[in-house]
Amino acid sequence: MSEPTPEEQKKLDAEAKAKEDVEQAALPYKWTQTIKDLDVTISIDGKYKGRDLDVKLTRTHLKAGIKGQDPVIDGDLPHPIHVDDSTWTLETVPGGKEINIHLDKVNQLEWWAHVVTTAPKIDTSKIQPENSNLSDLDGETRGMVEKMMFDQRQKEMGKPTSDEQKKMDILKQFQEQHPEMDFSNAKMG
């Protein structure tokens, strides 16, 4: 299969993004994330009070909805959260009320593709790090975050991470300098 041209790639990306937007818009909740945490918003009827709600947060599971009804969201989280630092509130907004759920990620250098594993995924490689205030981080931390994001993308595509790539490059260089040595059994790792 030939590589798509930049124009075709742009079109493919736009189509994928449009499909993603439709899938995400169809969810009965909205969600946003930074590299460190994730927020879920569920709109409900203004007549409900906190005691009418059924919200449960565990390290790896989220359930939220109104008691006696099917939960709006109920599923396993793709990655663990700090339960003690995760909260939920009920807020009155124009036109009703909102359940706001704040999840504190255990791994604060990782984008989530979805809130619960049953929901459609977003393409985390398209997330612009600026959203997570990467610019606020100092150069070293920013470099580390970008490297981890690169490594995560490489891993998802089954390609070597930057460290593995570096090792392979060093080994290759060494092999070229020492053609007399047999590296066929050299183990990477």
Side-chain angles (χ1 to χ4, degrees), residues 40-44 53 55 65 88-90 97-101:
V40 181
T41 307
I42 303 170
S43 297
I44 60 168
L53 305 179
V55 182
W88 69 273
T89 54
L90 179 62
K97 288 186 178 173
E98 279 180 354
I99 306 171
N100 291 313
I101 303 165

Side-chain angles (χ1 to χ4, degrees), residues 57-119:
L57 304 175
T58 71
R59 194 174 152 78
T60 55
H61 195 91
L62 167 64
K63 178 182 173 190
I66 293 154
K67 283 181 189 159
Q69 298 183 14
D70 285 338
V72 177
I73 185 169
D74 184 10
D76 292 324
L77 302 170
H79 308 287
I81 58 165
H82 290 294
V83 179
D84 293 346
D85 296 318
S86 299
T87 55
W88 69 273
T89 54
L90 179 62
E91 289 172 35
T92 302
V93 292
K97 288 186 178 173
E98 279 180 354
I99 306 171
N100 291 313
I101 303 165
H102 176 79
L103 305 179
D104 194 65
K105 299 176 182 177
V106 168
N107 179 350
Q108 304 214 321
L109 292 169
E110 174 166 59
W111 296 109
W112 287 23
H114 38 198
V115 182
V116 287
T117 53
T118 47

Side-chain angles (χ1 to χ4, degrees), residues 165-181:
Q165 189 64 54
K166 213 179 286 172
K167 276 189 211 157
M168 281 153 68
D169 291 346
I170 292 168
L171 184 66
K172 197 162 161 254
Q173 210 177 346
F174 190 76
Q175 281 172 302
E176 283 161 4
Q177 289 163 353
H178 300 273
E180 74 287 355
M181 292 170 79

Side-chain angles (χ1 to χ4, degrees), residues 13-79:
D13 285 351
E15 284 169 6
K17 182 80 180 91
K19 177 175 179 284
E20 196 177 275
D21 288 347
V22 170
E23 287 176 344
Q24 295 300 314
L27 293 171
Y29 53 86
K30 291 187 178 61
W31 65 288
T32 56
Q33 66 179 321
T34 69
I35 200 97
K36 291 184 166 56
D37 49 34
L38 186 140
D39 290 287
V40 181
T41 307
I42 303 170
S43 297
I44 60 168
D45 196 303
K47 66 182 182 207
Y48 293 110
K49 296 185 170 55
R51 64 170 178 270
D52 300 319
L53 305 179
D54 182 16
V55 182
K56 288 192 176 62
L57 304 175
T58 71
R59 194 174 152 78
T60 55
H61 195 91
L62 167 64
K63 178 182 173 190
I66 293 154
K67 283 181 189 159
Q69 298 183 14
D70 285 338
V72 177
I73 185 169
D74 184 10
D76 292 324
L77 302 170
H79 308 287

